[in-house]
Amino acid sequence: MFLHWILLFIAGIFEIAGVWAMKKFIDTKKKIYVIYLVVIFTASFTCLSFAMQEISMAVAYAIWTGIGAAGGVLVGIMFFQESKTFLKLFCVCVIIISSVGLKALG
């Protein structure tokens, strides 16, 4: 069971990397980022599907999207000079707390 949670976390990290690659493609138009996207999202979906063998679909998907959403915001702030307002960071915290809550209640 612990392995499935690790795979879910890895799937979330791949999701964040995919958002980064997508933004790089948009900014540069270099086709290599499209290849990165395909590889990264394939890895993300593969890890997610293995995780869902032991973790309920609702919890796994919510946590996966939560990691991707929160991570995407943080990557945007750290690497793409997106704004970092209190409200934006507060919302990221709500996403993380909600994901933890789903695990605790699920």
Side-chain angles (χ1 to χ4, degrees), residues 15-93:
E15 184 75 4
I16 296 167
V19 171
W20 171 84
M22 191 180 310
K23 178 66 172 158
K24 292 296 282 185
F25 173 71
I26 290 167
D27 289 347
T28 66
K29 303 295 187 238
K30 292 182 180 177
K31 296 191 187 323
I32 188 72
Y33 291 111
V34 174
I35 295 169
Y36 291 165
L37 274 170
V38 171
V39 171
I40 290 168
F41 282 131
T42 299
S44 182
F45 287 127
T46 300
C47 289
L48 177 63
S49 67
F50 282 120
M52 287 173 53
Q53 291 176 354
E54 291 292 325
I55 302 169
S56 73
M57 180 198 65
V59 171
Y61 184 72
I63 291 174
W64 177 70
T65 57
I67 292 169
V73 170
L74 296 175
V75 164
I77 290 170
M78 292 187 311
F79 297 105
F80 299 106
Q81 292 73 44
E82 294 182 3
S83 67
K84 56 178 175 182
T85 64
F86 171 79
L87 191 54
K88 185 183 276 190
L89 295 175
F90 174 77
C91 290
V92 168
C93 291

Side-chain angles (χ1 to χ4, degrees), residues 9-10 24 62 64 95:
F9 179 74
I10 292 169
K24 292 296 282 185
W64 177 70
I95 291 169

